[in-house]
Amino acid sequence: MTERPPVLSVRGLSVRFLMPGGRRVAAVTDAHFDVAPGECLALIGESGCGKSVLASALLGLLPANARTAGQARLGDLDLLTADERTLARTVRGRRIGLVPQSPAAHLTPVRTIRSQLEETVAELTGVRGRTALRAAAEQAAARAEFPAGHLDRYPHELSGGLAQRAATALALVGDAPLLLADEPTTGLDRDLVDRTVDELRRHVDTDGDRGLLMITHDLAAAERIADRVAVMYAGRIVELADATAFFGTPGPRHPYSRGLLEALPDRAFTPIPGLPPELGDLPDGCAFAARCPRATGACTALPPFTGSVACHHPAPADRAAATEDIRA
């Protein structure tokens, strides 16, 4: 995107969960990616592939039985080695804004949305005074399309969609350099999806210094605002691509990525056969081989990430060759 240093630089990030009996679950394996200033990177993949675990690792919110390796640098800070005090006081909310996957669990149940917004505004922006805080909280709510008439309600009085918008409003308050949106469109109708992701995009575009990492199942939302797409399967990133090429021509190169697009109702509406492997029992070779129409004996070896894809049999990178490959 630019020649400036990335907002976030992830190198070799791995997460293992230590289970009873000495078993290890490989939730994330050797993730490499950057989020540049002014960029939205969409991280996509089926449920259980490790996307949300990766997000939790960046925020230091993994459970006690998790072990991490690699680096995740936010400026000069390695998020994986930072202590809890640093993460709580200088990172969460201030340098990374989080739109959580389960907003109801992140909202304080005994306080109204207005009071939570006012407290967040006061803490992250320095606004003081009842009138100023009230106005700032209402402005923050409006950014996320949260209706002013619901500000004095408690979280349990909100629908799932309203809780999602409240969480989005809270995440945007600090204008953090990195916004991490974990399934930010859950429970929203199509019109609100578009307006929500457009607001997330505006957060990135305001001064060109901020980045957005959006974890999503909603490929239409990803197509709407993403600059690049990272595809995760069975804990590994298997493809990194320009969003225009990924959703258009020549399209994805990894067979799994192609399967995700072909499963959409406005495309072939053809599901990927089979199920992903258990993260605690991954094969030695390509984890997608058992579901892949291109699989050969070569797939018993783990494919390296070469260029933009980790696959022994990727689709061609150029437009003409990709078209012939699709026809074949």
Side-chain angles (χ1 to χ4, degrees), residues 44-51 217 232-233 256 260 272 274 276 291:
I44 65 173
E46 291 169 285
S47 295
C49 70
K51 304 186 304 297
H217 290 97
M232 181 172 271
Y233 185 77
Y256 174 64
L260 288 177
I272 302 172
R291 309 172 70 188

Side-chain angles (χ1 to χ4, degrees), residues 112-122 125 127 129-148 151-152 165-166 169-170 173:
T112 66
I113 302 305
R114 183 189 301 277
S115 69
Q116 293 182 59
L117 275 171
E118 288 182 354
E119 179 185 48
T120 303
V121 167
T125 70
V127 172
R130 177 176 295 182
T131 301
L133 279 174
R134 186 179 183 89
E138 292 177 355
Q139 183 179 14
R143 288 181 68 183
E145 302 284 346
F146 187 90
L151 280 169
D152 293 311
R165 281 181 270 170
L170 287 164
V173 166

Side-chain angles (χ1 to χ4, degrees), residues 99-312:
V99 181
Q101 184 177 27
S102 302
H106 284 72
L107 298 171
T108 304
V110 295
R111 299 181 60 190
T112 66
I113 302 305
R114 183 189 301 277
S115 69
Q116 293 182 59
L117 275 171
E118 288 182 354
E119 179 185 48
T120 303
V121 167
E123 183 68 24
L124 298 183
T125 70
V127 172
R128 295 290 184 270
R130 177 176 295 182
T131 301
L133 279 174
R134 186 179 183 89
E138 292 177 355
Q139 183 179 14
R143 288 181 68 183
E145 302 284 346
F146 187 90
H150 289 68
L151 280 169
D152 293 311
R153 295 189 177 185
Y154 292 88
H156 73 273
E157 298 178 297
L158 304 179
S159 66
L162 282 174
Q164 186 70 59
R165 281 181 270 170
T168 301
L170 287 164
L172 292 171
V173 166
D175 286 327
L178 177 66
L179 190 61
L180 203 167
D182 191 358
E183 300 291 355
T185 60
T186 299
L188 305 182
D189 60 40
R190 195 73 247 166
D191 182 56
L192 275 174
V193 167
D194 291 345
R195 283 189 277 173
T196 298
V197 297
D198 286 349
E199 184 57 49
L200 298 180
R201 182 75 231 192
R202 276 192 289 275
H203 173 86
V204 174
D205 291 339
T206 298
D207 57 15
D209 291 330
R210 303 171 190 154
L212 169 62
L213 175 59
M214 184 172 76
I215 296 169
T216 186
H217 290 97
D218 190 337
L219 298 187
E223 183 176 9
R224 185 177 180 90
I225 70 165
D227 298 295
R228 289 191 302 142
V229 177
V231 182
M232 181 172 271
Y233 185 77
R236 293 181 180 271
I237 292 178
V238 297
E239 184 164 8
L240 270 168
D242 174 81
T244 301
F246 184 89
F247 290 107
T249 302
R253 300 191 63 203
H254 197 284
Y256 174 64
S257 306
R258 288 193 164 199
L260 288 177
L261 292 189
E262 291 302 304
L264 295 175
D266 59 347
R267 301 210 182 196
F269 206 24
T270 303
I272 302 172
L275 295 172
E278 293 289 337
L279 294 178
D281 189 27
L282 294 175
D284 293 332
C286 175
F288 188 61
R291 309 172 70 188
C292 181
R294 292 171 170 264
T296 68
C299 301
T300 57
L302 189 67
F305 197 98
T306 304
S308 64
V309 64
C311 181
H312 292 295

Side-chain angles (χ1 to χ4, degrees), residues 40 175 318:
C40 170
D175 286 327
D318 65 280

